[in-house]
Amino acid sequence: MLKKLESLLSVERSFLVVGDIMLDSYIHGEIRRISPEAPVPVLTVTGRENRPGGAGNVAVNLRGLNSRVTLVGFTGEDESRGILENLFGENHIELKSLTWGRNTVTKTRIISSRQQIVRVDDEKELPLTDEEKGLLLSEIKKIDLSRFEGILISDYNKGTCFPELCAYLIGEGRKREIPVVIDPKGKDWRKYAGANLITPNVKELCEALGESLPNEDGVIGEGAQKLREELSVDKLIVTRSEKGMTLAWGEGIRHIPTLAKEVYDVSGAGDTVSASLLRFIADGLPINDCLMQANRAAGIVVGFPGTHPITADLLLHDRNDKRNWVEARRAGKTIVFTNGCFDLLHPGHLDYLKKARELGDFLVLGVNSDASVTRLKGEGRPVNNQESRKLMLESLRYVDQVILFEEDTPLELIRKIRPDILVKGGDYDIETIIGREYASRTLTVPFVSG
């Protein structure tokens, strides 16, 4: 399956995502004391970060699975819109953003030690005007849908996914034999009638059925099948947190256990599931294989704090190499990260790596590529090429994984891994260490004398 997966993900697909676009903002920090003003914890801020949320997160997940993505939805005329435009530009996602008469939906999460403490939502709950509906529908009808291999409607119940819009996209998808996947919200799902696939969680399924169901195989399967038949939907897949997924379709009901071993944050996991399913359905994988890959993808992203998109690299790496940080995180290990050129290996390096490894369970070593070392240290360096340096470092018992990076700094690598502990040498001031906002803790290790 690995070779087939690598082959499929090497082909770039094209998708349209329509839905409620949001900005997910994160404030990272450390809690060391209780406020004297009230019995509440005091967070010392160590970093801030912004990521696309809602339909934007779906788009980033699809982009991570080697896809061209066009995203359509509303934002306000505010600072959040500008931030999102930059984020989508960095991710090479085509954004067709219309302006509505309210602010951009913004969710701010406060995080300490990889755990979310509180979420602050900044939004005005107003219905779309007839003019706004007309503008969006008109914008969608201008798009040549024949250039897409799938459509995903990401409904967060903010107004973007109104019945006429859903009906048009589902109808056009059927006409062109393009799969239409719905990530649903709300109580009335009649607007999703005729879709290829709907991907609710248990709470959303219960709301649509108008009853409270225990998260048990029998009743969830029965409820999903009932709703699927009422809506004339091909397939309905229920995500069930720690109990995995349930598929209801014409051939019956199937239950798939979860693959997540360590759950830090379920934010955005549903986006990952719907995006992964669409990608692999478009690839022509049988539904059982699509479910397996979407389940694996969800199991990976919940190991990160906050919303974190799946990528082809994460999906393939997680499957291919058990001696890697993805598997270590899923096994609940404490991940330590450090980096350097390590061109001329000496006893000081060995002592440093030994001390870094003693801080946790799994040491990831980021190593500058040859080109990066030359830019940093000048012509004639490195003395040892990158493969030689990697080979020597991998032979050390203190080092669990070595990853080469091309950039001058390991910022992108740290942002991807989000280590529990980030370590640098004693000559660094912690406040200036690159990537510290993506680590739970940042520490320095003193140099060996001489």
Side-chain angles (χ1 to χ4, degrees):
M1 186 63 188
L2 174 61
K3 287 186 177 179
K4 185 173 185 179
L5 201 59
E6 287 177 333
S7 176
L8 291 174
L9 290 172
S10 69
V11 177
E12 190 177 57
R13 301 290 182 190
S14 184
F15 299 104
L16 173 67
V17 177
V18 180
D20 297 303
I21 301 172
M22 307 179 196
L23 176 65
D24 284 341
S25 183
Y26 296 84
I27 299 176
H28 299 274
E30 298 176 358
I31 294 175
R32 299 170 181 163
R33 62 193 180 94
I34 300 297
S35 171
E37 302 168 1
V40 295
V42 175
L43 183 89
T44 301
V45 175
T46 59
R48 298 175 187 269
E49 182 184 7
N50 294 303
R51 304 179 208 169
N57 187 45
V58 172
V60 174
N61 272 273
L62 280 168
R63 180 62 189 153
L65 294 173
N66 192 22
S67 307
R68 293 188 303 275
V69 184
T70 298
L71 173 63
V72 184
F74 285 104
T75 58
E77 285 282 8
D78 50 25
E79 182 182 1
S80 292
R81 177 193 180 103
I83 293 171
L84 283 169
E85 287 175 340
N86 289 333
L87 290 171
F88 291 127
E90 291 170 4
N91 283 281
H92 306 289
I93 292 169
E94 181 186 11
L95 174 64
K96 293 182 179 293
S97 173
L98 288 76
T99 304
W100 59 9
R102 61 184 112 159
N103 64 311
T104 303
V105 177
T106 303
K107 299 179 179 181
T108 302
R109 295 173 173 88
I110 314 296
I111 296 174
S112 176
S113 299
R114 297 174 60 82
Q115 297 296 328
Q116 188 177 147
I117 301 169
V118 68
R119 193 181 87 184
V120 181
D121 289 1
D122 182 10
E123 63 174 300
K124 294 180 180 177
E125 297 184 2
L126 298 172
L128 282 188
T129 65
D130 289 341
E131 182 182 2
E132 288 168 341
K133 289 180 181 179
L135 284 172
L136 181 56
L137 199 51
S138 176
E139 186 67 29
I140 293 292
K141 289 181 177 179
K142 292 177 187 175
I143 298 174
D144 179 11
L145 297 180
S146 64
R147 65 188 176 97
F148 299 110
E149 294 162 276
I151 298 170
L152 204 154
I153 299 175
S154 178
D155 192 350
Y156 273 79
N157 207 26
K158 307 300 180 185
T160 306
C161 304
F162 53 93
E164 295 84 355
L165 178 72
C166 293
Y168 174 76
L169 289 171
I170 292 169
E172 289 297 306
R174 287 288 183 185
K175 185 190 304 182
R176 301 168 188 274
E177 298 185 342
I178 299 171
V180 179
V181 173
I182 313 282
D183 194 354
K185 282 288 186 300
K187 297 179 180 179
D188 188 356
W189 285 12
R190 287 176 295 180
K191 61 182 177 180
Y192 306 140
N196 298 94
L197 172 64
I198 302 181
T199 62
N201 58 32
V202 172
K203 180 175 180 291
E204 291 158 352
L205 177 73
C206 291
E207 287 179 352
L209 290 168
E211 55 184 309
S212 179
L213 301 177
N215 192 3
E216 298 172 359
D217 288 356
V219 289
I220 294 298
E222 184 181 335
Q225 191 69 284
K226 174 186 175 184
L227 202 54
R228 183 193 72 81
E229 292 172 354
E230 287 178 358
L231 297 171
S232 299
V233 172
D234 295 344
K235 300 175 184 70
L236 197 149
I237 296 172
V238 187
T239 55
R240 301 172 53 200
S241 298
E242 74 281 357
K243 295 195 176 180
M245 300 182 188
T246 291
L247 163 67
W249 60 326
E251 297 184 22
I253 296 167
R254 185 183 174 207
H255 306 289
I256 306 96
T258 184
L259 295 177
K261 296 178 182 176
E262 183 74 23
V263 177
Y264 282 102
D265 198 330
V266 297
S267 303
D271 298 332
T272 297
V273 168
S274 56
S276 300
L277 286 169
L278 179 59
R279 166 71 212 216
F280 292 118
I281 287 170
D283 283 327
L285 274 184
I287 188 61
N288 287 343
D289 290 338
C290 292
L291 276 169
M292 180 176 70
Q293 299 308 326
N295 199 19
R296 288 184 55 242
I300 293 168
V301 301
V302 297
F304 294 89
T307 55
H308 193 286
I310 192 63
T311 64
D313 181 60
L314 282 173
L315 205 54
L316 295 171
H317 199 183
D318 179 58
R319 184 183 187 94
N320 191 33
D321 181 6
K322 293 302 179 185
R323 193 168 178 258
N324 69 77
W325 64 268
V326 176
E327 185 66 21
R329 169 158 288 137
R330 291 178 60 182
K333 295 181 183 290
T334 299
I335 297 173
V336 182
F337 178 92
T338 192
N339 68 280
C341 298
F342 299 97
D343 186 11
L344 300 170
L345 205 59
H346 55 69
H349 285 141
L350 301 183
D351 180 78
Y352 172 76
L353 293 173
K354 178 177 181 292
K355 289 174 179 174
R357 178 61 170 78
E358 288 171 350
L359 294 170
D361 305 313
F362 194 92
L363 177 60
V364 181
L365 189 55
V367 177
N368 295 75
S369 69
D370 288 348
S372 177
V373 174
T374 301
R375 288 194 301 271
L376 293 171
K377 297 185 178 292
E379 292 300 323
R381 299 290 299 274
V383 175
N384 296 296
N385 65 36
Q386 61 191 39
E387 292 307 322
S388 296
R389 290 182 285 128
K390 185 172 186 286
L391 182 65
M392 288 189 291
L393 290 163
E394 284 177 334
S395 70
L396 300 176
R397 68 176 183 271
Y398 317 124
V399 177
D400 294 290
Q401 185 179 9
V402 177
I403 302 176
L404 294 168
F405 62 92
E406 295 290 337
E407 301 81 9
D408 291 345
T409 76
L411 179 63
E412 289 304 313
L413 189 55
I414 296 170
R415 180 161 65 175
K416 175 181 174 182
I417 296 173
R418 298 177 186 272
D420 298 289
I421 302 172
L422 174 62
V423 182
K424 290 295 288 182
D427 57 335
Y428 280 84
D429 180 349
I430 284 182
E431 298 300 321
T432 65
I433 292 175
I434 289 173
R436 64 188 297 270
E437 66 270 28
Y438 302 116
S440 296
R441 285 192 293 158
T442 303
L443 304 172
T444 58
V445 172
F447 285 137
V448 174
S449 177

